[in-house]
Amino acid sequence: MRQEIVQLKGSRYGLQLVFSPETEFKTIRADIQRKLESGSRFFRRGTVIQLVPGVLSSEEEASLRKLFNQHGVLFRVETMEKPATRRPMATLPLTPASPAKAAPAPAPAPAPAAPPAEKKAPVSETATPAVKPEPQPGTKAVAKPAPEGETMLVINRTLRSGQEIRTPGSVLICGNINAGAQVIAGGSIDIRGTCRGLVHAGAGGDTSAFIIADRLMPIQIRIADRIATLPDGAVKTPAVAARAFMKDGKITIEPMER
Amino acid sequence: MSEVIVITSGKGGVGKTTTTANLGVGLAMQGKKVALVDTDTGLRNLDLLLGLERRIVYTLVDVVQKRVGYGQALVRHKKYENLLLLPTSQVADKTAIEPEQMLELTQVMRNEFDYILVDCPAGIEQGFQTAIIGADRAIVVTMPEVAAVRDADKIIGRLQAENKDSHLVVNRIRPQMVKDGTMLDMTSINDILSIPCIGQVPDDEKVVDSANRGIPVVEWDDSVAGQAYRNIVRRICGEDVPFQTFETDGWFTRLRKKLFSHH
């Protein structure tokens, strides 16, 4: 079997572009273009592709960025091994729906701060002496997208079809999520109402994120990189609140009291 | 006091134009001075339902492009002098009217009418933006069916984003199907859409007949849909009218339907 020129190494934070250092840039670019145009499932719109810095020249990086952007794919040159410098929501360009409400508290640990809502200076490596990034190439990062005590986004309305909330932290929704609406959170999602839309908790890879709803009857539930759907057909309105969480690598739904 | 109300739905075929025609005639029957504005450019139907097709000389497109004043384009209803239709063009398309032009027009027309009802096209593109821009509030028409409710939900979200209050009219309810549990009931619809409902219109064969004749059912005493529209008109005028309970088929009718149905 022929060795692929360009490979994509997946991690829970996104996809990393990998190729042999001897390969000519022209060949790499052509291979990526071929992959993009073939409509490979790795290159869905909104995907983030990362590249370790220093491998390509800045002109070459710019050329690739342009190529990816034409296909709706984001291209970032940044390291995946250092959680402190890495953005926590690498797979999703998250912007809080209402910046005023979503200002995250300055977190002590490797802080996933949302740039638009940031009040303090961006967290840099030197500013976080508490946690030293471990140089372990290829292993998962330690940053949790929604550490304890971080400000929670509160939405006091019903989300209707076509409306979307994206937040790097957790979100509390006092209202319904109607079919056709989406909530994508880096942390957990709590719905004080009926959930009929699409909910994605732990969008940055946090498998401990969970989803709670008074009436949990969504089109799809996603936690980290797992997707679950309810059985087709008429869904009965559940009598009690339920919690969806990851258990042994599977999304599990359990009734709960509150 | 004048009010501009847009009648919209998102999905096509749920009865926006029928509702506009009936509410327009109904309000005129109450003695209000009413203008109906058709913004479904290229697919105009409101003139047909009112039986005014043959009287159209100028259209909304001529008005916004300043070829004529809106007064010249208005078509007076045959029976109710205080009801006027501003038809749109059948040859132009939705891009012929910019939202700002529509806003300007409704602001001028306000001075002359008690109610201006704007018939919105289906969809959420420019035609929708044009139709809603000048409105004080919206009437969202839907049907007891998942696709129509889903689209209504989307439209309500858009209207809320524009700070426009909306009220719901549920059209073409089939009481027997609701009773049998095969059609969405009002509780489920209200649960999803959660906006105040001002109308529940039963499915009525007479609506088809009325469209062909150009006489809206609101004028017909023997039509159940007509009664429902008359109630909506009174609610628009601020009266508190209780909702009708619809009759379902008796055991004999159901037996007959069962025996003679071919399905």
Side-chain angles (χ1 to χ4, degrees), chain A residues 5-9 11 13-21 25 28-29 32 48-65 68 73-81 85-86 90:
Chain A
I5 302 164
V6 174
Q7 284 185 312
L8 288 167
K9 222 164 79 182
S11 84
Y13 299 105
L15 294 165
Q16 193 176 2
L17 197 61
V18 182
F19 46 83
S20 152
F25 177 71
I28 295 167
R29 196 182 187 282
I32 292 169
V48 177
I49 307 282
Q50 288 170 307
L51 178 68
V52 182
V55 183
L56 295 175
S57 74
S58 55
E59 294 94 67
E60 288 169 342
E61 281 170 4
S63 160
L64 281 190
R65 182 171 292 113
F68 277 118
V73 176
L74 297 172
F75 180 65
R76 284 193 192 133
V77 179
E78 54 190 359
T79 170
M80 297 182 90
E81 282 95 75
T85 52
R86 184 188 45 74

Side-chain angles (χ1 to χ4, degrees), chain B residues 202-217:
Chain B
D203 199 32
D204 186 349
E205 289 173 1
K206 294 197 174 72
V207 173
V208 179
D209 188 16
S210 87
N212 293 335
R213 294 207 228 166
I215 306 167
V217 286

Side-chain angles (χ1 to χ4, degrees), chain A residues 157-163 176 178-180 194 196 215 219, chain B residues 150 152-154 156-158 160-161 188 191-195:
Chain A
R157 62 184 173 95
T158 287
L159 295 184
R160 298 186 180 275
S161 178
Q163 294 176 338
N176 300 339
N178 284 356
T194 307
R196 295 189 181 87
R215 286 165 300 279
I219 290 176
Chain B
R150 181 79 59 94
D153 189 45
K154 169 111 194 180
I156 295 163
R158 289 290 193 93
Q160 282 175 344
S188 317
D191 192 31
I192 295 169
L193 299 180
S194 50
I195 59 167

